[in-house]
Amino acid sequence: TLSCDKYHFKPSLRQDMEGADLIISHAGAGSIMEGMELCTAANKSCGRQKKKLVVVTNAALMHGHQSELADALEARGHLYVVRDPRELLQEDTLRRIEAFDQVPFEGGDGGKDF
């Protein structure tokens, strides 16, 4: 079952993100880091993959800088990237997200270059 909430402004989304099994976010650095932190903590506490992070990049924003970070973290398995929000309406995308096995984010880049 899919349940969605929307609002124009909310001072913090943390409570909503903590209660969600699937976090869909824009690909801003702060949102990505908070989402990965929450997913890692939730999945460690229950011993299984309970929470996943999907980010939607905006290629038109500041020369596509969101894609660089999102692509690097997706390559490491920490999140799933969607390039166009309309992809979220496609059944094959939803199946890929469901099958996605998110790797916990432990911080740092493990000595790997982006």
Side-chain angles (χ1 to χ4, degrees):
T1 303
L2 181 63
S3 171
C4 297
D5 293 322
K6 68 175 186 156
Y7 21 79
H8 292 287
F9 176 79
K10 198 170 188 180
S12 174
L13 299 176
R14 189 167 189 95
Q15 185 176 1
D16 296 293
M17 291 168 72
E18 287 173 343
D21 291 332
L22 176 64
I23 299 169
I24 301 174
S25 173
H26 80 118
S31 298
I32 285 175
M33 297 308 291
E34 184 173 22
M36 288 189 313
E37 172 194 339
L38 289 170
C39 288
T40 297
N43 296 339
K44 278 185 176 181
S45 71
C46 72
R48 63 180 176 83
Q49 188 165 74
K50 175 184 175 190
K51 190 179 298 283
K52 295 181 184 187
L53 176 62
V54 174
V55 299
V56 182
T57 60
N58 183 346
L61 186 63
M62 294 179 66
H63 309 291
H65 78 284
Q66 287 185 349
S67 295
E68 284 184 50
L69 177 60
D71 290 345
L73 292 169
E74 182 180 47
R76 290 175 173 86
H78 299 307
L79 50 82
Y80 187 93
V81 176
V82 172
R83 310 259 173 237
D84 183 329
R86 292 174 289 199
E87 290 179 49
L88 294 168
L89 301 174
Q90 299 172 0
E91 286 186 40
D92 60 321
T93 299
L94 298 176
R95 280 194 293 274
R96 285 193 303 273
I97 291 169
E98 189 172 351
F100 172 60
D101 188 19
Q102 187 163 331
V103 174
F105 182 74
E106 303 296 338
D109 68 2
K112 300 174 188 166
D113 292 328
F114 280 91

